[in-house]
C-alpha cells in the first residue's frame, strides 16, 4: 500500500529564520570570546524593528546591535524598499543574566554535589525530553521529504544570491510530499514553492524559472512523472515578505529544524542556546547515536528519546524504537546506546566539541543531515558493529 508524507522548509529570509540566525550569530560571537558563557538569546522581528532579549551570563562584551545588523545584511535585507533592512530597522535589547537558581544546578549537578566525578559536574539546564532519529532511506540518514524541502529552499537562496534569478527576495518556503511503498521512496507526489519576488517579474515568468532552475535542479527526475503536482506561488503574488509580511520569532520552526515531522519533538527549540542547554545538546547527541546505530546495521530506522531533570547530570530515562527494523530487541539496543554513548551534559559537550562558535550555520536548512557538524560523524559504527556478532 502506498503512503504519502509531507515536510516543509523555509529560507534564511523567512521571518522566523531571521530571528534564529540573529540569536545564533550572537551566541557564536559570545562563545568565540568566552566558551563557558551561558546564553539563552531570543529574537523577535517585525516591520522595521528587532527585539533581542534573553539571559546571558558572560565575562566578554559583544556588540549585539552590530551582530544583528550584519546578520540581517548577509541574509539579503539590505534595502529599505524590502520593508525591513539592516541599516534602518530599530534594534531593542533587553538582556539579563541567567537566573542564579538555574545556575545552582547547572554549575554543580546533584551527582557532583554527592561526590560524583568531574564528568558529572554540569547538570541539565532544564527538565524535558529530546529526540534523535535516523533512517536509511537517504544517504544522509534523514527522511526524504525534509531533505528535498531543504534542498529546494537552499536552491532558492542560491539562485537569488548568484543573480541568476535577481528578482527574487530573501523570503521563501517549500513543501514536498513523498510517496512510499512500504519503507521505500518510490516517487514525489507534490512540490510547493513560494518565493518572494520584486514587483517587476510576472507570475508566469517566476513559475517558469522556479520550475526550471530550482525544482528540476533538486527533485530527481526518476521520482516524478506526469502525475506530479507543482504549486509555485499558488496565491499569484508574493511581494511582501520577511518581517514586514509576518512577525518572526526565535524557535518557531522546530520541525523544520529537525526531521520534518517524521520524528516527535520534545518542544525545546535550539537556536540561541549554549550547549549546557540539553534542549540543544542532548538532541544533537540523540541524533548522533541514532545515526550511528542505523549506519552500523543495528536497525534500518531508529528513534531515541532521552529525558532529563533540572540540575541532574544523568538522564532520567531513555527509550528506543526501531519500528520493527532492529536486528536486536529495542531494549537491548537501548542498553547498547547507554553503554557506548554518554548523555551527561559535560560528556556531550566534550564528545561533540560544542563550545565552539558553530551555531550560526545550523540556523538555516536543518540541524541534521549535514556532514559538516560533529553530531553527524559515523565514528561509532565499528564500535557498534561488534554487537551484531
Amino acid at each position: 500500500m502506498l503512503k504519502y508524507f509531507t515536510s516543509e522548509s523555509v529560507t534564511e529570509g523567512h521571518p522566523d529564520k531571521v530571528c534564529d540566525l540573529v540569536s545564533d550569530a550572537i551566541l557564536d560571537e559570545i562563545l568565540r570570546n568566552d566558551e563557558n558563557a551561558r546564553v539563552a538569546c531570543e529574537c523577535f522581528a517585525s516591520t522595521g524593528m528587532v527585539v533581542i532579549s534573553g539571559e546571558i551570563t558572560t565575562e566578554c562584551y559583544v556588540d549585539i546591535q552590530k551582530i544583528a545588523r550584519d546578520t540581517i545584511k548577509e541574509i539579503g535585507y539590505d534595502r529599505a524598499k524590502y520593508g525591513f533592512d539592516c541599516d534602518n530597522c530599530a534594534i531593542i535589547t533587553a538582556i539579563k543574566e541567567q537566573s542564579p537558581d538555574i545556575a545552582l544546578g547547572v554549575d554543580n549537578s546533584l551527582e557532583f554535589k554527592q561526590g560524583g566525578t568531574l564528568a558529572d559536574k554540569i547538570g541539565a539546564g532544564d527538565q524535558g525530553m529530546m529526540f534523535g532519529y535516523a533512517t536509511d532511506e537517504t544517504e544522509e540518514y534523514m527522511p526524504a521529504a525534509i531533505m528535498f524541502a531543504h534542498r529546494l529552499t537552499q536552491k532558492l537562496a542560491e539562485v537569488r544570491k548568484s543573480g541568476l534569478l535577481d528578482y527574487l527576495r530573501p523570503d521563501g518556503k517549500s513543501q514536498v510530499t513523498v510517496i512510499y511503498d512500504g519503507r521505500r521512496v518510490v516517487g514525489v507526489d507534490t512540490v510547493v514553492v513560494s518565493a518572494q519576488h520584486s514587483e517587476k517579474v510576472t507570475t508566469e515568468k517566476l513559475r517558469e524559472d522556479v520550475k526550471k532552475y530550482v525544482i528540476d535542479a533538486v527533485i530527481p527526475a526518476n521520482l516524478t512523472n506526469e502525475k506530479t503536482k507543482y504549486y509555485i506561488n499558488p496565491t499569484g503574488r508574493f511581494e511582501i515578505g520577511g518581517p514586514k509580511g509576518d512577525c518572526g520569532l526565535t524557535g518557531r520552526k522546530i520541525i523544520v529544524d529537525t526531521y520534518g515531522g517524521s520524528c516527535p519533538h520534545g518542544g525545546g527549540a535550539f537556536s540561541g542556546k549554549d550547549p549546557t542547554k540539553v534542549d540543544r545538546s542532548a538532541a544533537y547527541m540523540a541524533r548522533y547515536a541514532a545515526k550511528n546505530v542505523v549506519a552500523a546495521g543495528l536497525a534500518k530506522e531508529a528513534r531515541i528519546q532521552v529525558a532529563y531533570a533540572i540540575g541532574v547530570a544523568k538522564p532520567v530515562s531513555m527509550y528506543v524504537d526501531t519500528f520493527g527494523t532492529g536486528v536486536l530487541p529495542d531494549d537491548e539496543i537501548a542498553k547498547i546506546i547507554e553503554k557506548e554513548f554518554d548523555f551527561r551534559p559535560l560528556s556531550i559537550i566534550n564528545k561533540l566539541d560544542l563550545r565552539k562558535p558553530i551555531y550560526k550555520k545550523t540556523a538555516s536548512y536543518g540541524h541534521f543531515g549535514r556532514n559538516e557538524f560533529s553530531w553527524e560523524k559515523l565514528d561509532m559504527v565499528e564500535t557498534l558493529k561488534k554487537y551484531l556478532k
Side-chain angles (χ1 to χ4, degrees):
M1 183 177 70
L2 298 180
K3 298 182 294 183
Y4 297 77
F5 193 85
T6 303
S7 295
E8 71 160 348
S9 180
V10 297
T11 66
E12 63 211 62
H14 184 282
D16 294 331
K17 278 293 146 200
V18 170
C19 294
D20 285 343
L21 277 158
V22 169
S23 292
D24 273 337
I26 292 168
L27 170 63
D28 274 1
E29 191 58 29
I30 292 172
L31 290 178
R32 192 171 283 114
N33 295 279
D34 178 8
E35 65 175 19
N36 294 308
R38 300 287 164 77
V39 182
C41 182
E42 313 292 344
C43 180
F44 163 84
S46 188
T47 305
M49 179 177 65
V50 174
V51 178
I52 300 167
S53 187
E55 296 77 46
I56 298 176
T57 303
T58 180
E59 297 180 355
C60 73
Y61 168 80
V62 298
D63 189 337
I64 289 177
Q65 285 217 15
K66 183 178 187 303
I67 296 166
R69 293 190 191 280
D70 288 349
T71 302
I72 293 164
K73 183 176 182 179
E74 288 172 16
I75 292 167
Y77 289 114
D78 55 2
R79 300 180 189 179
K81 68 178 182 179
Y82 296 165
F84 181 79
D85 75 288
C86 58
D87 295 320
N88 296 304
C89 64
I91 296 181
I92 302 167
T93 59
I95 303 293
K96 57 184 182 295
E97 291 189 342
Q98 183 183 61
S99 163
D101 293 344
I102 295 174
L104 282 173
V106 177
D107 293 340
N108 295 289
S109 74
L110 179 65
E111 295 97 323
F112 190 73
K113 292 170 185 173
Q114 294 176 344
T117 66
L118 183 61
D120 294 313
K121 183 170 175 56
I122 293 180
D126 201 353
Q127 69 177 45
M129 60 283 190
M130 300 84 213
F131 288 89
Y133 178 79
T135 172
D136 66 357
E137 69 187 65
T138 64
E139 64 181 17
E140 296 89 357
Y141 295 93
M142 287 286 286
I146 188 64
M147 292 309 297
F148 288 147
H150 283 324
R151 289 171 187 166
L152 287 170
T153 50
Q154 284 178 299
K155 197 67 176 179
L156 270 180
E158 179 185 316
V159 298
R160 170 177 64 87
K161 291 180 176 181
S162 71
L164 179 61
L165 303 184
D166 59 0
Y167 56 77
L168 291 181
R169 300 294 180 253
D171 200 353
K173 302 179 77 172
S174 70
Q175 184 173 287
V176 179
T177 302
V178 169
I179 308 170
Y180 289 88
D181 184 357
R183 297 189 65 258
R184 185 168 61 94
V185 176
V186 295
V188 170
D189 180 77
T190 307
V191 178
V192 184
V193 175
S194 295
Q196 185 190 11
H197 56 84
S198 75
E199 72 283 357
K200 296 179 181 179
V201 68
T202 65
T203 300
E204 292 72 22
K205 172 65 172 170
L206 180 142
R207 287 174 173 164
E208 177 185 333
D209 286 348
V210 169
K211 176 64 167 60
K212 178 179 179 181
Y213 295 111
V214 178
I215 296 174
D216 289 350
V218 166
I219 305 298
N222 66 313
L223 295 181
T224 62
N225 56 37
E226 68 280 358
K227 294 182 180 180
T228 304
K229 298 178 285 293
Y230 301 96
Y231 297 100
I232 302 170
N233 281 30
T235 64
R237 304 297 289 173
F238 184 8
E239 295 179 32
I240 301 172
K244 182 180 180 181
D246 288 292
C247 291
L249 190 65
T250 298
R252 202 159 54 183
K253 284 291 176 284
I254 56 177
I255 300 304
V256 171
D257 286 342
T258 53
Y259 306 100
S262 292
C263 174
H265 195 292
F270 298 159
S271 289
K273 296 179 180 177
D274 76 79
T276 67
K277 277 71 172 176
V278 287
D279 277 342
R280 183 170 217 161
S281 55
Y284 290 171
M285 192 66 170
R287 161 63 178 175
Y288 174 60
K291 184 177 180 181
N292 276 271
V293 163
V294 172
L298 291 176
K300 294 181 179 296
E301 185 177 4
R303 180 176 75 199
I304 299 170
Q305 185 207 57
V306 60
Y308 291 86
I310 188 169
V312 180
K314 293 181 180 178
V316 299
S317 73
M318 178 177 289
Y319 169 80
V320 174
D321 187 354
T322 63
F323 307 90
T325 69
V327 300
L328 298 171
D330 288 349
D331 61 339
E332 290 189 29
I333 294 177
K335 291 176 182 177
I336 292 168
I337 292 169
E338 289 178 326
K339 180 180 179 181
E340 300 294 348
F341 298 87
D342 191 340
F343 275 80
R344 290 174 294 180
L346 184 57
S347 296
I348 295 173
I349 290 168
N350 291 335
K351 176 67 175 178
L352 300 182
D353 202 12
L354 297 181
R355 292 197 189 277
K356 292 184 176 179
I358 57 173
Y359 297 102
K360 183 180 176 183
K361 58 186 176 182
T362 70
S364 299
Y365 313 117
H367 292 244
F368 307 124
R370 297 157 61 186
N371 289 332
E372 61 194 297
F373 303 131
S374 60
W375 49 92
E376 295 294 320
K377 291 181 179 179
L378 294 175
D379 55 356
M380 291 295 290
V381 168
E382 294 306 315
T383 298
L384 295 175
K385 281 183 176 180
K386 68 185 181 185
Y387 293 99
L388 295 172
K389 298 177 182 179

